[in-house]
Amino acid sequence: MKIYEPKPIHLIRLTITKKDFETKYLNFIDTNHQECIEKVMMIIEELKLSVFMGGNLTRMDFRECVGGKNGKCKSISFKGLNPNDLHKLLIEKIEKKC
């Protein structure tokens, strides 16, 4: 007989927000904070969004989470996609690469 000791899960939580739109969420595992941000930024930069686009900013918050405890948070903001479109795009691109 063995005693079960659960190991804390390390993940990155991504929250995508924009004024007047529904907030979207994604969770990433098997990655670190910096790698996750770089991969998501690469996907967004492929779109070649114009800096002159109108409208509100779309904000992405990347938060480290270990065993249910929140850690450091880094944010990126840009104009262009709404949270729903960005959420679909990220899922499509990340699943295609894996």
Side-chain angles (χ1 to χ4, degrees):
M1 182 182 328
K2 293 182 180 179
I3 296 176
Y4 173 69
E5 293 183 36
K7 295 178 183 175
I9 298 172
H10 181 266
L11 55 91
I12 306 296
R13 290 184 178 158
L14 173 60
T15 306
I16 308 168
T17 58
K18 185 174 186 173
K19 185 178 177 183
D20 299 329
F21 286 91
E22 180 184 354
T23 301
K24 292 292 187 176
Y25 305 93
L26 281 174
N27 293 316
F28 300 100
I29 57 171
D30 299 330
T31 186
N32 61 43
H33 217 175
Q34 192 59 37
E35 181 184 359
C36 185
I37 292 170
E38 288 171 3
K39 285 185 180 181
V40 170
M41 285 301 299
M42 255 182 15
I43 293 169
I44 292 170
E45 287 172 356
E46 288 175 3
L47 299 174
K48 298 184 182 352
L49 298 172
S50 171
V51 295
F52 300 107
M53 294 182 90
N56 296 315
L57 290 172
T58 300
R59 178 182 168 116
M60 296 187 302
D61 295 320
F62 298 84
R63 181 170 298 279
E64 281 185 311
C65 181
V66 180
K69 295 183 181 178
N70 290 328
K72 294 184 283 182
C73 180
K74 292 185 181 180
S75 298
I76 298 169
S77 297
F78 61 93
K79 287 189 177 186
L81 297 173
N82 66 52
N84 196 38
D85 293 340
L86 182 57
H87 183 262
K88 288 178 185 176
L89 176 72
L90 290 174
I91 289 173
E92 176 186 311
K93 294 281 187 175
I94 291 170
E95 285 181 347
K96 188 184 291 184
K97 290 182 181 180
C98 295

